[in-house]
Amino acid sequence: MARTLSIEPLAGTSFGAVVTGVKVAALDDATWRELHTAWLKHALLIFPDQHLKRDEQIAFAKRFGPLEFEMAAISNVKSDGSLRIEADNDDVMKILKGNMGWHCDSTYMPVQAKGAVFSAEVVPSIGGRTGFADMRAAWDALDEALKARIETLTAHHSLHHSQSKLGHQTKKRDGEYSGYGLHDGPVPLRQLVKVHPETGRKSLLIGRHAHNIPGLDKAESERLLQELVDFACQPPRIYHHDWTAGDAVVWDNRCLLHQATPWDMTQPRVMWHSRIAGNPASEAALN
Ligand code: OGA
Ligand code: MN
């Protein structure tokens, strides 16, 4: 029996949709166009029961554009198959913990990411959900005075900064951590309000990598950025996905924040991330 594509918006949120009746590993062009349109509208598409093989995930991600990287394990399982010990707090563990703060990917790089295909291979029995927050709806919900205040502001974005706030003395290539994102060039400066290059919608570009707004003193900058995240990442603008092994999602990193959530790290969690590169014309830093 032919399956029919269904794109069901999430209930009670401003974004996100569950897509069934399709295998993303075998898309015809018409279905791809429909999905792409839905992705721009909903910003997060959730595909249950995909069980993507490595090559299938990479090929699906490439539909959205060139990749920043093809496939990275986001996991508390080491390459030798053993579990990473939470209390050891090695550099990979520190990055996993860091991911639990609301953030946007690769804003600390010269070009921020366009999005990601993210899939679940092994999931813990409880917890380890991934949260998403709609920064378009957050912008829309701000009062006019605050909109006017922040519209012209910029912030620096750095993974060194966000990790050091968690007590992580960042250095490259310690143990299994590749050091990805510990960018050494000029600290990227970005507008606080981003215009989406494909939809034209404005959104807040904030999250844990943002700091040091030029023109504000450090404490005031910190306070404003925290206030914005606290306001933005509230219902009905958030959704936390409870993973089932085999699920895949694709999110738009140009208008959503995301976060991991805690789980019992004596249980394995193996996730795969394919990062879609931003367009330098619209996702490059200002400096
Ligand atoms: C990421 C990320 C969150 C999670 O892969 O970029 O932030 O739930 N992951 O693991
Ligand atoms: Mn991330």
Side-chain angles (χ1 to χ4, degrees), residues 30-187:
T31 308
W32 157 249
R33 282 193 296 275
E34 223 175 310
L35 289 183
H36 187 253
T37 301
W39 182 63
L40 292 176
K41 177 176 178 193
H42 300 292
L44 170 69
L45 299 181
I46 300 164
F47 302 90
D49 201 23
Q50 297 291 323
H51 300 276
L52 294 177
K53 295 188 182 70
R54 181 188 171 88
D55 287 356
E56 293 172 338
Q57 172 157 334
I58 293 168
F60 178 51
K62 283 184 175 168
R63 292 264 194 176
F64 293 84
L67 303 186
E68 186 176 328
F69 55 76
E70 290 196 335
M71 195 85 154
I74 307 291
S75 171
N76 62 330
V77 180
K78 294 191 201 178
S79 52
D80 69 5
S82 67
L83 273 181
R84 199 169 292 284
I85 307 296
E86 185 170 9
D88 286 355
N89 207 23
D90 63 18
D91 281 4
V92 173
M93 188 57 73
K94 285 171 180 154
I95 290 288
L96 293 176
K97 293 285 173 82
N99 277 346
M100 293 177 186
W102 287 110
H103 67 279
C104 192
D105 286 338
S106 294
T107 54
Y108 44 73
M109 300 296 275
V111 178
Q112 85 173 73
K114 178 189 277 191
V117 173
F118 195 53
S119 66
E121 182 182 346
V122 180
V123 299
S125 53
I126 52 167
R129 295 179 306 162
T130 304
F132 299 91
D134 185 352
M135 294 302 105
R136 308 167 303 182
W139 166 258
D140 291 347
L142 289 178
D143 67 54
E144 294 305 319
L146 194 49
K147 279 185 178 168
R149 175 169 182 225
I150 66 175
E151 182 127 44
T152 56
L153 296 180
T154 58
H156 292 91
H157 288 251
S158 148
L159 185 61
H160 291 287
H161 168 88
S162 47
Q163 288 300 110
S164 70
K165 274 171 69 173
L166 304 175
H168 183 184
Q169 300 306 312
T170 48
K171 53 188 181 309
K172 291 204 173 212
R173 302 189 189 290
D174 181 8
E176 288 196 334
Y177 179 53
S178 67
Y180 189 81
L182 296 174
H183 173 66
D184 280 333
V187 178

Side-chain angles (χ1 to χ4, degrees), residues 234-248:
Q234 294 283 342
R237 296 181 286 274
I238 56 173
Y239 165 73
H240 284 80
H241 187 64
D242 207 348
W243 295 97
T244 300
D247 289 352

